[in-house]
Amino acid sequence: MKPTDGRRRVVIEDVSPQIDAGRHPVCRIVGDSVSVGAAIFADGKDELTARLLYRHASDKHWRFTAMLSAGNDLWNGSFVVDKLGLWNFTILGWVDHFATWANDMKKRLAAQSRPELVDGIGAASRNATTGPDVESNAATQDIVLALRTGAAMVDQAAARAQGKDAKRMKSIAREMERLAKEPRDFYDDPLSEESLLLMARYPDLTHATRFEPELPVRVERMRARFSSWYELFPRSASSIPGQHGMLNDVERQLPEIAAMGFDVVYLPPIHPIGRAFRKGPNNSTIATPDAPGSPWAIGDKAAVACPPLGAEVAGDCGGHKSIHPQLGTFTDFDCLVNSAQSQGVEIALDIAFQCSPDHPWVTEHPEWFVIRPDGSIQFAENPPKKYQDIYPLNFESRDWRGLWDELYSVFEFWIERGVRVFRVDNPHTKALPFWEWCLSALKSKYPDVIFLAEAFTRPHVMYGLAKRGFTQSYTYFTWRNTKAELESYLEEITRPPISEFFQPNLWPNTPDILHRTLQEGGRPAFMHRVILAATLSSSYGIYGPAYELAENSPAEPTYGRSESEEYLHSEKYEIRQRDRNAPGSLVPLITALNKIRNANQALQSNESLCFHEIENPQLICYSKSTPVFENTILVVVNLDSFNEQIGWTNLDLDKLGLAANESFQVEDLLSGAIYTWRDRKNYVALRPGVQPAHIFRVIRLQ
Amino acid sequence: MKPTDGRRRVVIEDVSPQIDAGRHPVCRIVGDSVSVGAAIFADGKDELTARLLYRHASDKHWRFTAMLSAGNDLWNGSFVVDKLGLWNFTILGWVDHFATWANDMKKRLAAQSRPELVDGIGAASRNATTGPDVESNAATQDIVLALRTGAAMVDQAAARAQGKDAKRMKSIAREMERLAKEPRDFYDDPLSEESLLLMARYPDLTHATRFEPELPVRVERMRARFSSWYELFPRSASSIPGQHGMLNDVERQLPEIAAMGFDVVYLPPIHPIGRAFRKGPNNSTIATPDAPGSPWAIGDKAAVACPPLGAEVAGDCGGHKSIHPQLGTFTDFDCLVNSAQSQGVEIALDIAFQCSPDHPWVTEHPEWFVIRPDGSIQFAENPPKKYQDIYPLNFESRDWRGLWDELYSVFEFWIERGVRVFRVDNPHTKALPFWEWCLSALKSKYPDVIFLAEAFTRPHVMYGLAKRGFTQSYTYFTWRNTKAELESYLEEITRPPISEFFQPNLWPNTPDILHRTLQEGGRPAFMHRVILAATLSSSYGIYGPAYELAENSPAEPTYGRSESEEYLHSEKYEIRQRDRNAPGSLVPLITALNKIRNANQALQSNESLCFHEIENPQLICYSKSTPVFENTILVVVNLDSFNEQIGWTNLDLDKLGLAANESFQVEDLLSGAIYTWRDRKNYVALRPGVQPAHIFRVIRLQ
């Protein structure tokens, strides 16, 4: 089958950036310049012209900008995404006959003075004599014909133009024809800058090739890329010993948390906690009556006098659209959100789509669960282990549409109460097509919403979730502790193709993960791990105050394991009240880190992350910089929690914007010290617990 | 917008092999096993099953085969392409609830003997006592429910089955229900091999995910991959001095060429040669009246008494469907083709879609050319240079459909006369959409036709042509002479992704290219270059007898160049009669090379090409082997045309199917000598002109 128009000679291939042939949008931040590349070529030697078309979802028409040839059939162009939401781009390429003609004309004009260049075969065979007269005659004959060809092209282009341009172009065409009629020995260049510009303005696109499909770009706000997260349990936030904390206790802590420099305060689920099968301390299956239970076991409709102070939200009691009565009311919640906003902080909620047995959905929509042959609802299982406090949702439900709509409405419920950041629990246990639809629909309606995936799962699934709309993702960072592990992993997740859709958020601890490095290394380890997290990635988080206080006692290992990554007396099952400013607290260090992050733009993205050699395997060295090195940060971290480590760097000077042999200064933003360094090899010595790292600002001296 | 069925939980990504998301078919040879890979995953921990669907274009229905999990969400499968033509494949993936159930059942059964494994939360909170009775009761209770669940699944599957299978499955279901009703302390495994097989035969595909798009595979015959080409000019083939050779002279040479081991005899264009602007010797623009002209200037309608011996092909005189009268008649041609076939050789024709001024198309279809303002036809130009013996076709013609049909018909004309191999001249000067349509249409109708692209052009265009249907392509091999150049380039073109659509055909010389390496190195260089070509690639060719006779005199450099890659007295413009068996001829070496290629399967494909270290930059070492090393060939070549070179190998033993420290024999297939080698490091010494290379067959001793 022939194509509709076989005259479209231009081929457009290898268009970037794209994911899976346009199946998923690449991710950018508002204000970014999106660099587009492609291979654009055709048969023969004609000049090509290419145009980058782009538009926001709300634009009626395409905007366009010229692409430039970079040689070897590669072309580049770019456009600025100045608005949140979904954009599309594509490429138009065509044979530019006028540009070809203009190039050829230049060569013909040049040949007038060098007639030997003209291969006058025709003349030679028709006429035994050769000589300058005949040859220069051939050169000028070419020009006459070329002028006529050119005039015809300009006329055609004039028909595509309007108004003054059309008039001007017609007169240019007439002038060229006139020139062609006057016999001359020598022609000047008939092409002015003006005529070239006019012709470029009205190209003949009749046989232009358009790349398909249109490629999507999802544009989000700066916080999607650059964010500093602080997790705390509201129920532990009371200053009164033994008292169940409430949302207004969190509100009281906001100034302190904001002063530390965090911009996202993330709360584990604030919904009612199921009564059935509540866990006791240290995940015990035996729970005392006053055990607070796990916030991730969402339920408890019947056990709550509903509502405590009158119906705040009509008909809404228990479940994902409720607040645990011991945490407070919706009024308290609104105050918290507003107070946070006024202090430049956002509240992030934890959305965990699972239900304890007393969740409202169990009675209202049993079809959203798996029903066993005896009529009971299937609880979570990893046979023979049972998790009877959790009923997983059934994404193969006949009423999958109703289920999807309800889950969507949970997000929308909190969005409309002012929440714009969500941390999603175990997204890899909910169907990926659901997330693809839900996150895309939410982002279309609320383009400033951010979703963090707690996707501790296999790489393909983790990346699959990121492609499907999760703005940020937890990573394997907690299990990457050695230099080799860190370098390899961070290179993978900060470079294309992964970086086109995956924004890492590095957590040195979570309520579920107390890594052996921290268990064994104590406070010094907590220091270097948070320095790594805060400088390797533009987004990071800590679970506090456990982190500031360097709590590192693990629970007993569970059956079949020799070690545990669980916290002893985990706050998941108990209230744990602490003073984050206790002696030895890492609050000052963390405050300094956030200050450095906020003051140094290089640390606010990951694309420039580059590792430098340093000849001690316990020392890791890396840098980030802004595009023309206005701000360059160089970090050296001692990964040893116990011993001082020394070593010599072998810096990749190009990546620091420095020249060979150049002297420069490095200002340690943690200690304030300034050193003069030179060239690639410079000495460092770092002591755990005292000075575990340098965070240098590079200062050029010339 | 929700999807049609949101219950399709499985995701299928990263499917290989594919080119540009299925835009172009990957290429395989009939009999190949196509290895398919994909990432297949879903939410949660359920078992997945995946099926590879495949079919030939002529199949009514899909065939299928199981895919196997390779871990980390990667799956593999394969299918054999046992027929020429276009195939398609895709993947079906689904959540296999029964497999999940069966795995869970195994664990439940095992827990019967280890009740402590059962986390009987329910029991613990309802009942203060715990103990073996209660726990084992929990384990068996699970099994009872599971049996009922399983029975329901088997019943559903039985409804998808027929006949004996359906009956058997129903009775299996009844048996499971019966078991569930009998109270027991201990259950045996209710699942037989038979029931598992039956269930696997009737999966529930209601919510299966199907990968899109279907991915194409073009399957061609063995000669598409493994071919040895010999190019000669028919007009030089006469044994009578000074006489213009004819097709029957080529026929007379066939036994000799076949004896050398070649299977494709390629002739420059055999069509009439244009009279206007004919070139003289050494590309001179001054041609004597008896100059034979360039075979690529196709035309000459009027100058030929048409036809010489009566109308052989009615109405056909001059142009691409004619034979140059000085070469012979269509009867001669048919004899040549048949004679070749009986000797196991194929005739390849050169198709050059350009016209000299007296080509029939010029008068019959002037609209297929570019017309200048003075009404004359635009000749080829690179201003100010003119090539007035060539009129290029205009692929932007209004009658592009007519042009495409005519060009297609040229191929079809010769195909119907028995030609199945075409070398296409300068395909990169003809529109790529044309090739895409033409080659695809021809291959659909004649799946055994092979096209070789003479695409000496930029990489993107060269690869773009290969993607669009050219079976084989010339390469940059002539300009890759050093070890580094050869290793780098050959690795690029013999590995995916390039190898999925690009089959290299390595030519150490062509009528257009006499490289400086051959000019300076003389006969020794000709030896090592043809050894490289014949062993690095499964397809190679030489232009003879110039090659066997190591002709290496270049023409004078043309204006602006300091050296020339043109032959002196190029056969493009003159008749050049030679005796390929003259003293010093390389016929014996070339014969030996082709014999080695035919006898060693490892050399009949490129996918196993692997370079080994050898510590002398003038020595290059590489191997090829069949999949389980039944046939392993190891080559060492001295790239120095003047000096002996010695060195030690550092063999990658894995790639040779050898173990560390293993002793093995290497039989030099050129000299007959046998050496015993051991382990990685072995000594070689090679002298140019005498023994420029080893072509070893590796023989294991254990």
Side-chain angles (χ1 to χ4, degrees):
Chain A
M1 277 261 289
K2 292 190 184 70
T4 327
D5 182 2
R7 285 171 290 183
R8 300 186 192 278
R9 294 163 52 203
V10 170
V11 171
I12 305 173
E13 288 183 347
D14 295 341
V15 182
S16 68
Q18 57 83 14
I19 299 167
D20 298 348
R23 175 84 175 72
H24 305 289
V26 297
C27 302
R28 293 290 187 274
I29 298 301
V30 66
D32 276 358
S33 174
V34 181
S35 296
V36 173
I40 305 178
F41 52 93
D43 62 282
K45 291 182 174 15
D46 288 341
E47 290 294 318
L48 305 186
T49 298
R51 194 181 261 191
L52 168 56
L53 310 182
Y54 60 99
R55 64 179 164 186
H56 184 265
S58 64
D59 289 338
K60 280 200 184 58
H61 305 288
W62 288 102
R63 301 184 235 177
F64 64 84
T65 177
M67 291 189 77
L68 297 179
S69 167
N72 197 20
D73 301 305
L74 299 172
W75 292 68
N76 297 318
S78 66
F79 63 102
V80 174
V81 284
D82 55 8
K83 202 166 162 181
L84 299 181
L86 202 59
W87 292 67
N88 280 285
F89 72 91
T90 185
I91 297 174
L92 213 59
W94 64 94
V95 175
D96 191 332
H97 291 291
F98 189 77
T100 309
W101 176 91
N103 276 359
D104 286 352
M105 179 57 94
K106 274 195 180 60
K107 296 176 194 170
R108 297 185 208 282
L109 294 168
Q112 292 179 105
S113 21
R114 308 189 60 186
E116 69 278 11
L117 289 181
V118 179
D119 212 356
I121 301 173
S125 31
R126 281 195 296 275
N127 203 332
T129 59
T130 55
D133 289 341
V134 176
E135 286 159 343
S136 66
N137 215 4
T140 51
Q141 271 173 13
D142 288 342
I143 292 170
V144 164
L145 272 171
L147 282 168
R148 293 173 64 186
T149 306
M153 283 193 214
V154 176
D155 262 334
Q156 285 162 18
R160 294 190 288 273
Q162 303 93 26
K164 268 202 293 187
D165 283 350
K167 258 181 153 178
R168 185 73 197 102
M169 291 162 83
K170 283 189 191 120
S171 76
I172 289 171
R174 300 290 75 77
E175 172 62 19
M176 288 169 77
E177 280 172 348
R178 190 190 62 73
L179 262 177
K181 286 195 180 116
E182 297 176 357
R184 284 194 186 190
D185 287 331
F186 195 86
Y187 286 88
D188 293 313
D189 191 345
L191 293 170
S192 63
E193 245 346 274
E194 178 206 20
S195 42
L196 291 169
L197 282 169
L198 280 169
M199 287 302 287
R201 195 176 297 161
Y202 300 98
D204 181 3
L205 301 180
T206 317
H207 304 306
T209 296
R210 181 143 140 170
F211 178 78
E212 296 200 343
E214 293 173 18
L215 297 174
V217 182
R218 171 82 66 192
V219 179
E220 306 195 64
R221 57 186 171 110
M222 190 53 163
R223 180 101 353 113
R225 167 184 291 162
F226 175 45
S227 55
S228 314
W229 291 53
Y230 188 85
E231 174 178 9
L232 81 159
F233 283 71
R235 67 188 182 191
S236 301
S238 173
S239 48
I240 297 165
Q243 185 175 87
H244 190 293
M246 298 179 76
L247 297 177
N248 50 23
D249 292 309
V250 177
E251 195 182 337
R252 274 189 278 274
Q253 291 198 25
L254 284 181
E256 200 167 88
I257 298 170
M260 274 202 278
F262 289 101
D263 39 53
V264 177
V265 172
Y266 150 48
L267 313 177
I270 61 172
H271 316 303
I273 294 175
R275 288 229 161 260
F277 303 111
R278 232 182 226 193
K279 295 289 179 69
N282 291 306
N283 199 21
S284 161
T285 55
I286 301 166
T288 55
D290 62 343
S294 163
W296 286 272
I298 297 154
D300 197 19
K301 174 175 179 175
V304 180
C306 180
L309 299 164
E312 293 203 18
V313 180
D316 204 29
C317 194
H320 290 75
K321 296 174 185 169
S322 298
I323 299 174
H324 193 309
Q326 285 181 281
L327 288 179
T329 66
F330 276 101
T331 306
D332 296 332
F333 180 81
D334 295 341
C335 287
L336 172 63
V337 169
N338 290 334
S339 180
Q341 186 173 42
S342 68
Q343 298 177 65
V345 165
E346 298 194 59
I347 299 298
L349 293 186
D350 191 324
I351 301 296
F353 283 143
Q354 60 197 21
C355 309
S356 86
D358 44 40
H359 191 289
W361 292 342
V362 174
T363 40
E364 292 164 20
H365 292 280
E367 70 277 14
W368 291 352
F369 301 88
V370 175
I371 315 285
R372 304 207 289 176
D374 64 354
S376 64
I377 300 217
Q378 176 67 61
F379 44 81
E381 256 193 319
N382 191 8
K385 287 189 148 309
K386 305 184 198 196
Y387 308 97
Q388 287 174 327
D389 55 337
I390 301 289
Y391 285 176
L393 292 165
N394 174 21
F395 281 85
E396 292 188 28
S397 166
R398 204 179 301 263
D399 187 28
W400 64 273
R401 289 186 179 85
L403 173 62
W404 285 25
D405 285 340
E406 177 68 23
L407 301 179
Y408 173 97
S409 77
V410 168
F411 284 108
E412 190 158 53
F413 178 89
W414 296 102
I415 290 172
E416 288 182 348
R417 291 209 91 91
V419 178
R420 283 294 189 274
V421 186
F422 295 95
R423 177 270 202 192
V424 178
D425 187 76
N426 277 350
H428 48 288
T429 57
K430 288 85 188 175
L432 276 77
F434 161 71
W435 290 121
E436 187 169 16
W437 165 80
C438 182
L439 301 179
S440 172
L442 287 168
K443 285 185 181 184
S444 292
K445 197 168 176 186
Y446 310 100
D448 59 342
V449 180
I450 290 168
F451 301 93
L452 167 62
E454 186 226 7
F456 289 120
T457 181
R458 309 178 309 277
H460 279 105
V461 181
M462 185 191 264
Y463 291 150
L465 288 163
K467 289 179 184 178
R468 282 162 181 72
F470 280 94
T471 316
Q472 303 182 353
S473 179
Y474 286 74
T475 69
Y476 301 137
F477 172 70
T478 24
W479 302 282
R480 300 294 181 268
N481 290 272
T482 68
K483 177 158 145 171
E485 289 168 347
L486 286 163
E487 289 186 347
S488 167
Y489 186 55
L490 265 295
E491 278 178 351
E492 175 180 323
I493 62 179
T494 58
R495 293 180 185 176
I498 306 296
S499 60
E500 296 288 12
F501 56 86
F502 189 82
Q503 169 63 53
N505 192 329
L506 305 187
W507 291 71
N509 77 329
T510 78
D512 298 301
I513 311 168
L514 172 68
H515 191 265
R516 186 182 49 175
T517 299
L518 298 177
Q519 294 177 27
E520 295 174 356
R523 189 172 175 278
F526 280 75
M527 290 178 75
H528 87 248
R529 290 293 295 172
V530 71
I531 290 169
L532 285 170
T535 52
L536 282 169
S537 179
S538 52
S539 285
Y540 87 109
I542 60 171
Y543 151 50
Y547 201 88
E548 306 84 296
L549 302 175
E551 286 180 15
N552 68 336
S553 303
E556 284 305 306
T558 50
Y559 184 87
R561 306 178 71 113
S562 56
E563 50 188 59
S564 169
E565 287 181 345
E566 291 285 335
Y567 275 90
L568 183 63
H569 291 301
S570 169
E571 203 168 356
K572 292 187 288 188
Y573 314 110
E574 308 177 37
I575 288 169
R576 295 286 310 276
Q577 293 170 318
R578 314 167 180 95
D579 170 17
R580 70 169 56 81
N581 295 305
S585 161
L586 293 177
V587 164
L589 170 63
I590 294 165
T591 305
L593 284 173
N594 284 332
K595 194 165 169 198
I596 290 168
R597 283 164 54 85
N598 285 325
N600 287 277
Q601 202 186 340
L603 295 175
Q604 298 167 15
S605 69
N606 294 344
E607 58 194 356
S608 63
L609 176 65
C610 164
F611 290 94
H612 299 259
E613 288 173 7
I614 183 164
E615 48 153 45
N616 182 331
Q618 293 283 30
L619 297 176
I620 189 171
C621 178
Y622 49 93
S623 68
K624 286 182 168 182
S625 60
T626 47
V628 289
F629 305 102
E630 315 91 284
N631 180 229
T632 303
I633 299 295
L634 179 66
V635 182
V636 189
V637 183
N638 179 358
L639 301 174
D640 185 334
S641 306
F642 305 102
N643 308 300
E644 179 178 25
Q645 294 291 343
I646 66 172
W648 290 86
T649 63
N650 183 16
L651 301 174
D652 184 343
L653 298 176
D654 281 344
K655 296 283 171 35
L656 300 170
L658 299 169
N661 271 315
E662 182 177 337
S663 290
F664 55 99
Q665 283 185 333
V666 288
E667 176 190 4
D668 188 335
L669 299 173
L670 285 172
S671 70
I674 298 182
Y675 307 92
T676 300
W677 276 17
R678 194 177 77 82
D679 204 20
R680 304 178 69 93
K681 296 191 188 304
N682 297 276
Y683 180 80
V684 294
L686 292 169
R687 287 176 61 197
V690 174
Q691 189 182 37
H694 291 303
I695 301 179
F696 287 134
R697 184 168 70 91
V698 175
I699 305 166
R700 295 193 83 169
L701 294 174
Q702 53 225 37
Chain B
M1 277 261 286
K2 292 191 184 69
T4 327
D5 182 3
R7 286 170 291 184
R8 299 184 193 279
R9 294 164 52 203
V10 171
V11 170
I12 305 173
E13 290 183 349
D14 295 343
V15 181
S16 69
Q18 57 82 15
I19 298 167
D20 298 347
R23 176 84 174 74
H24 306 288
V26 296
C27 301
R28 293 290 187 272
I29 299 299
V30 66
D32 275 358
S33 173
V34 181
S35 296
V36 174
I40 304 178
F41 52 94
D43 61 284
K45 291 183 178 8
D46 288 342
E47 291 293 319
L48 305 186
T49 298
R51 194 180 260 189
L52 169 56
L53 309 182
Y54 61 98
R55 63 177 164 188
H56 184 266
S58 64
D59 289 340
K60 280 202 184 59
H61 304 289
W62 287 102
R63 300 183 237 179
F64 64 85
T65 177
M67 291 188 78
L68 296 179
S69 168
N72 197 21
D73 301 306
L74 299 171
W75 292 68
N76 298 318
S78 66
F79 63 102
V80 174
V81 284
D82 55 8
K83 201 166 163 184
L84 298 182
L86 201 60
W87 291 66
N88 279 286
F89 72 92
T90 186
I91 297 175
L92 213 58
W94 64 94
V95 175
D96 191 331
H97 291 291
F98 189 77
T100 309
W101 175 91
N103 277 356
D104 286 352
M105 179 57 94
K106 275 195 181 58
K107 296 175 193 169
R108 298 185 206 281
L109 294 168
Q112 292 179 106
S113 19
R114 309 189 59 187
E116 70 279 10
L117 288 180
V118 179
D119 211 359
I121 301 175
S125 29
R126 279 196 298 275
N127 203 332
T129 58
T130 54
D133 290 339
V134 174
E135 287 159 340
S136 66
N137 214 4
T140 51
Q141 271 173 10
D142 288 344
I143 293 171
V144 165
L145 273 171
L147 281 168
R148 293 173 61 185
T149 306
M153 285 194 214
V154 176
D155 263 334
Q156 286 163 15
R160 294 190 287 273
Q162 304 94 23
K164 267 201 293 186
D165 283 351
K167 258 183 154 180
R168 186 74 196 101
M169 290 163 85
K170 284 192 189 117
S171 75
I172 289 170
R174 300 291 74 78
E175 173 64 17
M176 288 168 79
E177 281 173 346
R178 190 190 60 74
L179 262 178
K181 288 199 179 109
E182 298 175 357
R184 284 195 186 188
D185 288 333
F186 195 88
Y187 288 89
D188 293 313
D189 191 343
L191 291 170
S192 62
E193 249 337 280
E194 179 206 19
S195 42
L196 291 169
L197 281 168
L198 281 169
M199 288 302 285
R201 196 175 298 159
Y202 300 98
D204 181 3
L205 301 180
T206 317
H207 305 306
T209 297
R210 182 143 139 171
F211 179 78
E212 295 200 340
E214 293 173 19
L215 296 174
V217 183
R218 172 80 67 192
V219 179
E220 307 195 64
R221 56 186 170 111
M222 190 53 162
R223 181 105 346 117
R225 167 184 293 161
F226 175 46
S227 55
S228 315
W229 292 55
Y230 188 86
E231 175 179 7
L232 81 159
F233 283 71
R235 67 189 183 190
S236 302
S238 173
S239 48
I240 298 166
Q243 184 172 91
H244 189 292
M246 300 179 74
L247 297 177
N248 51 24
D249 293 309
V250 175
E251 195 183 336
R252 272 187 281 274
Q253 291 199 25
L254 284 181
E256 202 167 89
I257 299 171
M260 272 201 278
F262 289 101
D263 40 53
V264 177
V265 172
Y266 151 48
L267 313 176
I270 60 171
H271 316 302
I273 294 173
R275 287 228 161 263
F277 303 111
R278 236 183 223 192
K279 296 288 180 69
N282 290 307
N283 201 19
S284 161
T285 54
I286 302 168
T288 53
D290 61 345
S294 163
W296 287 272
I298 298 154
D300 198 21
K301 174 173 177 175
V304 180
C306 181
L309 301 164
E312 292 201 19
V313 181
D316 203 29
C317 194
H320 290 74
K321 295 174 186 170
S322 298
I323 299 173
H324 193 312
Q326 284 181 285
L327 288 179
T329 66
F330 277 101
T331 306
D332 297 332
F333 180 80
D334 295 342
C335 286
L336 173 63
V337 169
N338 291 333
S339 181
Q341 186 172 40
S342 68
Q343 298 176 65
V345 165
E346 298 194 59
I347 298 296
L349 293 186
D350 191 325
I351 301 295
F353 283 143
Q354 61 199 19
C355 309
S356 86
D358 44 41
H359 191 291
W361 293 343
V362 174
T363 42
E364 290 163 20
H365 291 282
E367 70 279 12
W368 290 355
F369 302 88
V370 175
I371 315 286
R372 303 206 291 176
D374 64 352
S376 65
I377 301 219
Q378 176 67 62
F379 44 79
E381 256 194 317
N382 190 8
K385 288 192 150 305
K386 305 183 197 197
Y387 307 97
Q388 288 174 324
D389 55 337
I390 301 290
Y391 286 175
L393 292 164
N394 174 21
F395 281 86
E396 291 188 30
S397 166
R398 201 178 304 263
D399 187 30
W400 63 275
R401 287 185 181 85
L403 172 62
W404 285 27
D405 285 340
E406 178 66 25
L407 301 178
Y408 174 98
S409 76
V410 169
F411 283 108
E412 190 160 52
F413 178 88
W414 295 103
I415 290 171
E416 289 182 349
R417 290 211 91 91
V419 177
R420 284 294 188 274
V421 187
F422 295 95
R423 179 270 201 190
V424 178
D425 187 78
N426 277 351
H428 48 287
T429 58
K430 289 83 187 174
L432 275 77
F434 161 70
W435 290 122
E436 187 169 16
W437 165 81
C438 183
L439 300 180
S440 172
L442 287 168
K443 285 184 181 183
S444 292
K445 199 168 176 187
Y446 309 101
D448 58 342
V449 179
I450 289 168
F451 301 93
L452 167 62
E454 186 227 6
F456 289 120
T457 180
R458 309 177 308 278
H460 278 105
V461 182
M462 185 190 266
Y463 290 150
L465 288 163
K467 288 178 185 179
R468 283 161 181 73
F470 280 94
T471 318
Q472 303 182 354
S473 181
Y474 286 74
T475 69
Y476 302 136
F477 173 70
T478 25
W479 303 281
R480 300 292 180 267
N481 290 273
T482 69
K483 176 159 146 169
E485 290 169 347
L486 285 164
E487 289 185 349
S488 167
Y489 186 55
L490 266 294
E491 279 178 353
E492 175 181 323
I493 61 178
T494 57
R495 294 180 185 176
I498 307 294
S499 60
E500 295 288 12
F501 56 86
F502 189 83
Q503 169 61 55
N505 191 329
L506 304 187
W507 292 72
N509 78 329
T510 78
D512 297 301
I513 310 166
L514 173 67
H515 191 264
R516 187 183 47 175
T517 300
L518 298 177
Q519 294 177 26
E520 296 174 354
R523 187 173 177 280
F526 280 75
M527 290 178 75
H528 88 247
R529 289 293 294 174
V530 71
I531 290 169
L532 284 170
T535 50
L536 283 169
S537 179
S538 52
S539 284
Y540 88 109
I542 60 170
Y543 151 49
Y547 201 89
E548 302 89 293
L549 301 176
E551 286 181 17
N552 68 335
S553 302
E556 284 305 306
T558 51
Y559 183 87
R561 304 178 73 112
S562 56
E563 51 189 57
S564 169
E565 286 182 345
E566 291 284 336
Y567 277 90
L568 183 64
H569 291 299
S570 169
E571 203 168 354
K572 291 185 288 187
Y573 315 111
E574 308 177 34
I575 290 168
R576 295 287 310 277
Q577 292 169 321
R578 312 164 182 95
D579 170 16
R580 70 169 58 81
N581 294 305
S585 162
L586 294 177
V587 164
L589 170 62
I590 293 166
T591 306
L593 283 174
N594 284 331
K595 193 164 171 203
I596 291 168
R597 283 163 54 86
N598 285 325
N600 288 277
Q601 203 185 339
L603 295 174
Q604 297 167 16
S605 68
N606 295 343
E607 59 195 353
S608 64
L609 177 64
C610 164
F611 290 95
H612 300 257
E613 289 174 6
I614 182 165
E615 48 152 44
N616 180 332
Q618 293 282 32
L619 296 176
I620 189 171
C621 179
Y622 50 92
S623 67
K624 286 183 168 183
S625 59
T626 47
V628 290
F629 305 103
E630 315 91 284
N631 179 232
T632 304
I633 299 293
L634 179 66
V635 182
V636 188
V637 182
N638 180 358
L639 302 175
D640 186 334
S641 305
F642 305 102
N643 308 298
E644 180 177 25
Q645 293 290 342
I646 66 173
W648 290 86
T649 64
N650 182 18
L651 300 175
D652 184 342
L653 298 175
D654 281 345
K655 296 283 170 37
L656 300 170
L658 299 168
N661 271 316
E662 183 177 336
S663 289
F664 55 98
Q665 284 184 332
V666 288
E667 177 191 2
D668 187 336
L669 300 172
L670 286 173
S671 69
I674 298 181
Y675 309 92
T676 300
W677 276 17
R678 196 176 76 81
D679 204 18
R680 304 178 70 94
K681 298 192 186 300
N682 297 276
Y683 180 81
V684 294
L686 293 168
R687 286 177 60 198
V690 174
Q691 187 181 38
H694 291 304
I695 302 179
F696 287 134
R697 183 169 71 91
V698 174
I699 305 167
R700 295 193 85 168
L701 295 174
Q702 53 223 36

